[in-house]
């Protein structure tokens, strides 16, 4: 029996003119409502059939949709569900909504179908989030990660750790329940400790890997920095394939951070252009330079753009922002001979260098290939599933925190250790939803769109 009383409906497709519009209906009255709408009964489960559909008190049908009947629990939500594949367009979908309302269904809230699937045990919370991620995916990398998550890889990993925590706790409780022989208790507790240490290492390794999954989902950040007039904005426009940033021969053109989203090597990249960094007294430009530095510090990869024709003077403020593995791009190659030496920049770190012309495009393909290779190395497939949201990361951190506390209490106060283990299990359970509160669930599903 579903936890929800009402039967809800929503368009699963975008509203507006289209070939088809799919209306989804779920809830305990779905069968009765389908009968009211079509005047028919006996739809075969999971078989498509054409049926005329009527508005209340009308004898002429307003459309003849394809009807799909999914009796619960073998449905997406676990409840009785039907879908109407209507003709797309406002008049038809409006008529269908009115007929559904008249028959007693109510409009679904954001993510309500997936929420019902979660409440009815069809999906865990991590899988529900994966449904949202699949719909939002713009790149192959995002899609593959969301599909792995929907398959249950991440949920299985967390479920396994939760079981381990439960077993350790049971063992501690068993020791506490038979405390007659002190030596036996001490030995038994000693034997439990390595299991806890092993679990802490697994959680730590998962935390270390946390950026990967989140970068795949939210985008890897690449920031262009450099002196004024070096051609940063020209390069951003070339990489983006659009005139996103203003280009001019006046130094100090860019002030705000200009961000564009790109697909590089199948992964989502957020590329940012920033203000040229130079000694300046103008307040607005100063603020721009501050923002440039902040963006550079937060980025996953920095590309320093330098004008190949200019002497490499006063670049320390910029080179100080670079990290090992970043890029230095000598731009305006079209203005010099191929064999001309590049300006000698003092760097104490390992960077990759490229010679390009952002205006002619020379050398840009090689730069793109190098970046794509690097991104695939950073985000490409690994065996273990990665966490994909800050919410997961915080819960794993809380789990580790409680588990470490449990280890500290194990010898002296095993009953307290048991309590910390319970907290650790609860923190882990929040991720998959076993220990989810209404507040957490409400927050997650409110970000879904209607019809999901
Ligand atoms: N010849 C040549 N000119 C270039 C090249 N790239 C940029 N320029 C020119 O250099 C000038 C500055 O280019 P921008 O892209 O605005 O430089 P920027 O680094 O964004 O400059 P700021 O925003 O002021 O820091 C413009 O006149 C561009 O047309 C290049 O590869 N070759
Ligand atoms: Mg610029």
């Amino acid at each position: 029996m579903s936890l929800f009383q009402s039967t809800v409906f929503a368009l699963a497709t975008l509203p507006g003119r289209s070939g088809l519009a799919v209306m989804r209906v779920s809830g305990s009255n779905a069968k009765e409502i389908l009968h009211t709408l079509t005047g028919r009964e006996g739809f075969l489960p999971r078989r498509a059939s054409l049926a005329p559909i009527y508005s209340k008190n009308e004898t002429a049908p307003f459309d003849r949709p394809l009807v799909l009947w999914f009796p619960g629990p073998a449905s997406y939500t676990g409840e009785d569900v039907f879908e109407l594949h209507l003709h797309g367009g406002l008049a038809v979908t409006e008529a269908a909504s009115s007929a559904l309302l008249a028959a007693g269904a109510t409009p679904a809230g954001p993510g309500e179908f997936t929420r019902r699937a979660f409440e009815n045990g069809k999906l865990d919370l991590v899988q529900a989030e994966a449904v949202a991620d699949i719909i939002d995916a713009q790149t192959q990398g995002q899609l593959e990660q969301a599909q792995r998550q929907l398959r249950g890889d991440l949920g299985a990993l967390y479920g396994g750790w939760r079981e381990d925590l439960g077993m350790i706790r049971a063992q501690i409780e068993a020791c506490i329940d038979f405390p007659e022989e002190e030596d036996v208790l001490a030995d038994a507790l000693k034997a439990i400790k390595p299991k806890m240490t092993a679990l802490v290492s697994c959680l730590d390794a998962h935390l270390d890997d946390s950026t990967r999954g989140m970068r795949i989902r939210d985008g890897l950040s690449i920031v262009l920095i450099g002196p004024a007039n070096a051609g940063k904005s020209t390069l951003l426009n070339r990489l983006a394939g659009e005139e996103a940033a203003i280009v001019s021969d006046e130094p100090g053109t860019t002030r705000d951070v200009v961000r564009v989203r790109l697909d590089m090597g199948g992964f989502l990249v957020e590329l940012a252009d920033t203000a040229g960094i130079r000694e300046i007294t103008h307040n607005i430009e100063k603020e721009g330079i501050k923002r440039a530095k902040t963006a550079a510090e937060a980025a996953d990869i920095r590309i320093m753009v330098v004008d190949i024709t200019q002497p490499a003077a006063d670049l320390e403020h910029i080179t100080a922002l670079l990290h090992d593995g970043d890029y230095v791009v000598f731009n305006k190659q079209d203005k010099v001979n191929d064999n001309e030496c590049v300006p000698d920049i003092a760097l104490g770190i390992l960077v990759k260098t490229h010679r390009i012309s952002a205006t002619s495009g020379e050398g840009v393909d090689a730069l793109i290939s190098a970046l794509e290779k690097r991104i695939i190395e950073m985000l490409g497939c690994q065996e273990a599933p990665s966490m994909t949201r800050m919410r997961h990361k915080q819960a794993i951190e809380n789990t580790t925190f409680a588990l470490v506390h449990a280890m500290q209490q194990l010898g002296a106060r095993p009953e307290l250790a048991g309590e910390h283990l319970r907290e650790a299990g609860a923190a882990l359970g929040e991720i998959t939803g076993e220990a989810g509160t209404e507040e957490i669930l409400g927050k997650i599903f409110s970000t879904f769109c209607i019809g999901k």
Side-chain angles (χ1 to χ4, degrees), residues 3 115 117-121 123-129 154-156 158-159 162 391-392 395 425-442 444-445:
L3 292 168
R115 167 109 198 220
F118 165 70
E119 300 285 358
N120 291 324
L123 298 169
D124 67 30
L125 205 49
V126 181
Q127 286 172 311
E129 286 173 328
L154 203 54
Y158 297 147
R162 230 174 147 222
R391 182 182 83 79
H392 304 173
L428 206 51
E430 271 184 17
I431 308 182
T432 43
E434 278 103 333
T437 63
E438 179 52 40
E439 194 194 343
I440 297 173
L441 297 178
I444 291 170
F445 286 101

Side-chain angles (χ1 to χ4, degrees), residues 229 231-234 245-248 252-255 273-276:
N229 238 9
K232 300 177 294 301
S233 302
T234 311
I246 300 173
V247 167
S248 99
T253 306
T254 307
R255 305 283 175 84
D273 177 26
T274 60

Side-chain angles (χ1 to χ4, degrees), residues 381-402:
C381 201
Q382 264 173 27
E383 299 259 309
S386 310
M387 66 181 85
T388 52
R389 278 171 162 77
M390 195 43 100
R391 182 182 83 79
H392 304 173
K393 188 172 181 213
Q394 279 160 353
I396 296 281
E397 280 168 353
N398 292 344
T399 308
T400 312
F401 188 75

Side-chain angles (χ1 to χ4, degrees), residues 208-275:
D208 282 344
D209 189 38
S210 67
T211 41
R212 202 173 66 91
M214 289 196 271
R215 292 295 178 277
I216 294 174
R217 179 173 176 267
D218 304 327
L220 188 105
S221 144
I222 303 182
V223 170
L224 300 171
I225 51 169
N229 238 9
K232 300 177 294 301
S233 302
T234 311
L235 179 58
L236 174 105
N237 291 349
R238 179 163 282 278
L239 293 174
E242 58 170 318
E243 300 299 304
I246 300 173
V247 167
S248 99
D249 56 6
E250 233 175 80
T253 306
T254 307
R255 305 283 175 84
D256 287 320
V257 178
V258 179
R259 296 178 196 275
V260 293
R261 304 192 119 200
L262 310 174
D263 181 336
M264 291 190 98
F267 293 99
L268 180 70
V269 167
E270 192 182 68
L271 179 69
D273 177 26
T274 60

Side-chain angles (χ1 to χ4, degrees), residues 30-113:
K31 193 176 195 171
E32 194 185 314
I33 292 171
L34 182 58
H35 175 61
T36 308
L37 259 57
T38 59
R40 270 180 54 180
E41 281 182 328
F43 286 96
L44 292 174
R46 293 173 292 282
R47 293 279 173 83
S49 30
L50 271 177
I53 179 169
Y54 302 86
S55 297
K56 198 180 177 187
N57 302 327
E58 292 288 339
T59 48
F62 64 83
D63 198 16
R64 193 180 292 271
L66 207 60
V67 177
L68 284 166
W69 167 238
F70 302 99
S75 69
Y76 179 67
T77 58
E79 303 171 325
D80 283 350
V81 170
F82 68 86
E83 283 176 13
L84 302 174
H85 293 219
L86 303 147
H87 285 101
L90 227 51
V92 178
T93 52
E94 284 290 317
S97 298
S98 303
L100 283 161
L101 278 172
T106 51
E112 188 157 352
F113 294 97

Side-chain angles (χ1 to χ4, degrees), residues 146-227:
Q147 278 167 337
R148 268 200 302 277
Q149 197 169 316
L150 182 60
R151 211 166 55 204
D153 295 12
L154 203 54
L157 183 71
Y158 297 147
W161 286 342
R162 230 174 147 222
E163 261 172 41
D164 291 349
L165 281 170
M167 252 151 61
I168 295 169
R169 195 170 151 218
Q171 283 169 344
I172 293 176
E173 275 162 11
C175 295
I176 300 168
D177 289 345
F178 301 101
E180 308 82 60
E181 293 160 56
E182 292 256 318
D183 291 354
V184 178
L185 175 65
D187 284 349
L189 290 175
K190 227 181 254 165
I192 292 170
K193 199 153 188 177
K195 293 181 188 164
M196 296 168 82
T197 316
L199 195 50
V200 170
S201 338
C202 289
L203 290 162
D204 278 345
H206 191 56
L207 276 171
D208 282 344
D209 189 38
S210 67
T211 41
R212 202 173 66 91
M214 289 196 271
R215 292 295 178 277
I216 294 174
R217 179 173 176 267
D218 304 327
L220 188 105
S221 144
I222 303 182
V223 170
L224 300 171
I225 51 169

